[in-house]
Amino acid sequence: MPHPLTDLPVRTVVRPGPARPTDAPEHVVTADVCVVGAGIAGVSAAVESARLGRAVVLVDSLPVLGGQMVNSLIGLFCGVFGNAPEHRRLTHGIFDDILADLGASGDLFYRVGHTTTVGYDEVRLGRWVEDTVREHGIKVLTGASLVGVDREGDRVVGTRFATRFGAVDVRAHGFVDASGDAALCWAAGLPCRLPDREIYGSQQLVVENLVETAAPDPADLSARVDAKAAEYGLRRHDGLAFFFPGRGTAVLNMTHIEAPLDPIAAAEAQLEGKAQADRVVDFLRAEFPEVFGKAAVRAYGLPGRRQTRWVAAAHQLTVDEVRAGIRFPDAVARTAWPIELHDSPAGYVWETFDADHLHYVPLRSMAPPDVTNVLAAGRCIDGDAAALSSVRVMGPCAAMGHAAAHALDMAGPDGSVHTVSAERAGELVARVRVNVDD
């Protein structure tokens, strides 16, 4: 009797002609909602759309879900809570489940100061995202780069993605651009905004074998970095180390790297970021040996990108509106996070707000005016550079994704999100009240 391994038939096949950009795709997927980008904004949009009974496709260029919140090792949920002394919870939706589930398993911790931030274990969060997406029956397309958009008048009707398994067309009634770089809107020929000077990202990393009981005061750490940056070849003159209590690990946010949209330059920035990170570890071992003397790098994150390219929407959120705390009729997200503009190699602007301050994101800042069924969510919504720096953190980004799901649901397969933001704003705000009202 033949051995099972030798009894397995194998065929030789040849593709019928070389692949061309105009060829029909090897795969076609249809859905009610297509979400491009699987970070916090995209996952929030996808999960909420599924909860509303919509068929959802969630697409990401990485081979795994989670976007920057998982794969860039950000390490902290920011903008979910308000300022001291009340520390009001400002974002709910998907964060209700994340904080409950990771809290129950001991995989997050709270840092209370001027505001409350939440540290988390990125491995557990990544698995939480994957499990949650599967539980909601969301179709997933990973390792997929957007290469084309099909528009019919004022509607996007399809997107094409390149994958290692061939081209994939996704046809949907509504689309959410949660790509971070406004990739869908850019490919659709919609106006986008670019900053006139570099806004730096960061190369995050996790280090282990630390003596956390001897951790330096954050102000002392930043002061030492500033004093010694030139000696150690550090570009950024400040830094933060987020220690996970009881684990002897910390996430380091102590670098500044360019975030170009050119592919070769982006690859070079990734290499430069890791070189900077290595110099940071050398600095910490030498300057704080009682804490970091035996530090080893456990993981380097993918390059973190803060503000690169974003949409030109029906309304551009301004820094004056942020400072004044304007409550818009179509407000769908809120936060009290500071203005945090990383537009200098050595440092960044950090402008905090008082205890009662809140500022808001209107749906109009998520809605490109030339299409009726596309919304941006996350760090590629419309704002001037300073305003965007205060709303691109994970709390309001999750709220934007939550709101995008409801706005597309209200618009239906043939309606307009602009009608929702104008004529039905009260109904929309009632739907997303958990993220705009106490």
Side-chain angles (χ1 to χ4, degrees):
M1 181 176 178
H3 189 280
L5 290 180
T6 62
D7 197 30
L8 176 62
V10 176
R11 294 175 295 136
T12 299
V13 297
V14 178
R15 191 185 191 282
R20 298 169 299 179
T22 56
D23 284 349
E26 285 87 344
H27 311 275
V28 177
V29 182
T30 60
D32 298 316
V33 177
C34 174
V35 180
V36 180
I40 187 64
V43 170
S44 177
V47 169
E48 191 65 16
S49 292
R51 288 173 174 168
L52 291 168
R54 302 303 178 188
V56 184
V57 176
L58 177 61
V59 188
D60 201 276
S61 59
L62 295 176
V64 292
L65 302 177
Q68 291 202 139
M69 69 170 166
V70 171
N71 302 296
S72 294
L73 304 183
I74 292 175
L76 285 183
F77 294 128
C78 298
V80 179
F81 291 85
N83 294 332
E86 294 185 13
H87 296 276
R88 286 184 289 169
R89 174 83 174 277
L90 303 178
T91 303
H92 291 271
I94 197 171
F95 267 113
D96 287 344
D97 298 321
I98 291 175
L99 298 184
D101 292 346
L102 268 68
S105 62
D107 290 311
L108 56 76
F109 63 93
Y110 291 81
R111 300 174 70 249
V112 180
H114 178 67
T115 186
T116 294
T117 55
V118 185
Y120 57 86
D121 183 305
E122 74 285 349
V123 176
R124 295 310 313 150
L125 177 61
R127 290 295 297 123
W128 184 93
V129 167
E130 292 165 345
D131 288 343
T132 301
V133 165
R134 294 185 70 193
E135 288 168 6
H136 285 82
I138 296 166
K139 291 182 180 178
V140 172
L141 178 61
T142 53
S145 297
L146 183 66
V147 293
V149 172
D150 186 7
R151 281 180 63 181
E152 293 180 359
D154 62 0
R155 302 187 72 80
V156 170
V157 297
T159 48
R160 176 165 291 190
F161 298 90
T163 79
R164 63 184 296 178
F165 309 107
V168 181
D169 277 8
V170 178
R171 315 290 290 184
H173 299 303
F175 294 83
V176 179
D177 188 341
S179 66
D181 301 320
L184 188 152
C185 292
W186 179 253
L190 300 172
C192 294
R193 304 190 194 276
L194 291 172
D196 286 339
R197 63 178 178 270
E198 187 74 39
I199 298 177
Y200 291 87
S202 288
Q203 173 63 61
Q204 308 271 97
L205 65 160
V206 175
V207 290
E208 57 189 358
N209 302 331
L210 310 183
V211 182
E212 62 188 75
T213 55
D217 179 81
D220 293 341
L221 174 60
S222 277
R224 188 81 61 89
V225 175
D226 187 40
K228 299 277 190 171
E231 179 180 337
Y232 288 90
L234 306 182
R235 170 181 283 177
R236 184 167 160 180
H237 287 212
D238 59 56
L240 299 165
F242 309 125
F243 290 81
F244 200 114
R247 298 194 180 182
T249 65
V251 175
L252 303 183
N253 181 351
M254 300 179 66
T255 62
H256 263 173
I257 58 173
E258 286 83 2
L261 296 170
D262 174 84
I264 301 300
E268 178 58 34
Q270 180 180 23
L271 299 177
E272 162 61 20
K274 288 186 177 179
Q276 284 190 40
D278 290 342
R279 292 194 292 273
V280 164
V281 175
D282 290 341
F283 159 82
L284 291 171
R285 288 173 180 152
E287 296 295 325
F288 297 95
E290 66 281 9
V291 186
F292 296 98
K294 297 181 179 179
V297 177
R298 187 178 78 182
Y300 297 91
L302 298 183
R305 298 161 74 86
R306 291 186 172 91
Q307 296 167 244
T308 51
R309 177 178 58 210
W310 54 94
V311 301
H315 177 84
Q316 184 182 46
L317 185 67
T318 69
V319 69
D320 289 340
E321 292 168 335
V322 166
R323 286 171 171 153
I326 300 298
R327 171 73 181 264
F328 305 95
D330 58 338
V332 295
R334 60 181 175 169
T335 189
W337 193 252
I339 295 169
E340 185 194 350
L341 185 60
H342 290 251
D343 62 340
S344 166
Y348 57 99
V349 175
W350 181 254
E351 180 182 320
T352 59
F353 299 106
D354 63 25
D356 297 324
H357 177 88
L358 294 173
H359 52 276
Y360 297 84
V361 176
L363 187 72
R364 287 167 294 151
S365 292
M366 300 165 54
D370 298 330
V371 287
T372 58
N373 66 332
V374 176
L375 288 167
R379 66 181 179 88
C380 60
I381 69 155
D382 196 4
D384 65 36
L388 187 58
S389 77
S390 70
V391 299
R392 54 158 181 74
V393 291
M394 282 197 265
C397 285
M400 294 178 218
H402 182 272
H406 282 276
L408 289 172
D409 182 64
M410 290 173 61
D414 302 311
S416 170
V417 294
H418 300 289
T419 300
V420 172
S421 67
E423 300 173 15
R424 303 174 66 188
E427 180 184 349
L428 174 66
V429 171
R431 282 191 177 214
V432 301
R433 189 170 299 282
V434 293
N435 291 328
V436 292
D437 285 328
D438 291 324

